[in-house]
Amino acid sequence: MFEPSFKKGLLAVLVLCFLVQSVLVYTDHVDLELSAKAIEGRRLYHESACQVCHQLWGQGGFLGPDLTNAASRVDETRLVSLLTVGSGQMPALSFNPRQIDQMNAFLKEIDRRDIGGGELRMGDPSTGTNVQEAFESAIIDLVPPTGTAAGFETFRTGMCKSCHFPFQTSIVGAPDLSTTGERLSETELIEVLTSGRPEAGMPPPVPELSTGQIDDLISYFFWLNANRAELEGDTHARQEDRTVNWRSLPWWEYR
Ligand code: HEC
Ligand code: HEC
């Protein structure tokens, strides 16, 4: 199915990921001091495979919620019930009172904002914004004129944004549409928005766009281009305090 050179490339990428991960783990100087009881809790966490369904600092499985700050949310009565009879898709684990106490200590001691919050890699859950959402709220705050706003709405609610990302070319090669106004004429834009460029990875829009929708999309792209600098600055400002400082995250849980 794949070319041999592609397989080699893929293998090289996987090996590189492994090396980067190993370096991060072994050069980790973030010291999260845990009490003896919490260390027992951490052992139970791994032995009971909690990480298959839960994340710590955003890493792990995604069936259940991130547990980095669970101690602030889950009281002890609920924890007892979770670790004995389970809840929803969380299985019954029949922890005894000593084990519950250890797990409780572990969850309490890792719940430290100065070390890092949960779900970091998915953005701060309290604001619920990722790059895309920051970009969209920047657009809304700039109050585009009516036709442009309708074009933005067509773009935002269609499949478009699964391939086109703000201010960058996405991995599938979909270009940054805020600079399209400099590259393409109106005629060329109509052509792309009608037939796509299937050979280059841009599918013909489904459902087909009406003439009115195409007009609005085009005015949106030109407006985007005219306001690019301001929108880009605003998008980054909204993202600013949400970047993850990788060095400050503890990697020890994988040791
Ligand atoms: C098979 C997947 C699975 C495993 C394994 C699992 N959980 Fe869960 N856990 C869940 C799901 C799903 C929920 C959400 C349950 C609900 O909302 O009713 C949950 C909820 C929780 C919550 C409440 C979190 C909150 O914010 O409300 C805690 C605490 C918790 N689990 C701890 C653990 C611990 C500790 C372990 C290991 C001993 C574990 N879980 C193992 C799936 C799992
Ligand atoms: C499956 C991914 C995908 C989807 C969905 C998609 N595009 Fe594209 N789009 C692309 C790719 C890839 C290109 C670059 C094609 C090329 O290199 O000629 C592109 C090119 C374009 C261009 C030309 C940009 C330029 O500067 O050359 C426009 C305009 C465009 N897309 C608009 C849209 C709109 C509007 C939608 C939603 C209705 C949409 N696209 C949905 C992948 C996608």
Side-chain angles (χ1 to χ4, degrees):
M1 188 163 100
F2 295 120
E3 299 285 330
S5 64
F6 178 80
K7 286 189 190 160
K8 273 187 199 151
L10 193 63
L11 187 65
V13 169
L14 289 173
V15 169
L16 191 68
C17 289
F18 169 75
L19 290 175
V20 169
Q21 159 84 6
S22 306
V23 167
L24 278 168
V25 169
Y26 288 100
T27 58
D28 178 14
H29 299 302
V30 176
D31 222 3
L32 183 63
E33 288 199 7
L34 295 176
S35 66
K37 202 197 266 179
I39 288 172
E40 283 307 299
R42 184 175 82 191
R43 193 178 52 75
L44 282 170
Y45 187 88
H46 290 295
E47 278 178 11
S48 323
C50 311
Q51 70 274 20
V52 173
C53 300
H54 292 284
Q55 314 99 63
L56 290 179
W57 296 283
Q59 304 208 50
F62 284 89
L63 186 65
D66 187 298
L67 297 182
T68 318
N69 311 109
S72 316
R73 298 190 298 265
V74 180
D75 66 22
E76 282 173 35
T77 321
R78 171 140 165 85
L79 187 66
V80 171
S81 133
L82 278 161
L83 295 177
T84 50
V85 296
S87 165
Q89 283 175 287
M90 168 141 171
L93 290 161
S94 348
F95 270 41
N96 65 35
R98 192 174 49 86
Q99 291 172 316
I100 293 172
D101 191 36
Q102 291 165 342
M103 184 59 73
N104 191 24
F106 175 58
L107 293 177
K108 277 213 170 102
E109 291 179 29
I110 61 170
D111 184 9
R112 280 178 45 185
R113 287 283 166 181
D114 56 326
I115 296 257
E119 296 175 33
L120 273 174
R121 285 164 191 73
M122 297 190 293
D124 179 349
S126 65
T127 62
T129 56
N130 54 36
V131 187
Q132 190 76 41
E133 285 165 343
F135 172 62
E136 290 179 5
S137 55
I139 289 183
I140 291 164
D141 284 0
L142 205 56
V143 195
T146 317
T148 302
F152 165 58
E153 205 50 28
T154 303
F155 181 80
R156 195 178 66 81
T157 51
M159 288 285 289
C160 320
K161 68 177 191 185
S162 52
C163 293
H164 291 277
F165 297 161
F167 313 116
Q168 56 179 296
T169 301
S170 70
I171 42 168
V172 297
D176 168 12
L177 294 176
S178 71
T179 50
T180 294
E182 295 161 19
R183 277 193 301 274
L184 302 185
S185 68
E186 200 162 328
T187 324
E188 288 169 315
L189 277 168
I190 294 174
E191 173 67 28
V192 179
L193 295 175
T194 311
S195 327
R197 284 189 203 140
E199 70 296 341
M202 163 78 195
V206 182
E208 245 174 63
L209 299 167
S210 69
T211 329
Q213 283 177 315
I214 292 181
D215 278 353
D216 290 343
L217 274 169
I218 292 176
S219 65
Y220 167 62
F221 295 141
F222 284 117
W223 177 85
L224 206 55
N225 188 235
N227 295 284
R228 186 176 199 276
E230 185 174 347
L231 285 167
E232 188 169 19
D234 196 6
T235 300
H236 287 319
R238 282 162 204 255
Q239 285 287 112
E240 198 99 275
D241 51 341
R242 301 159 32 72
T243 49
V244 176
N245 179 0
W246 293 85
R247 291 234 56 93
S248 78
L249 291 177
W251 294 80
W252 49 259
E253 59 176 312
Y254 292 101
R255 280 182 190 157

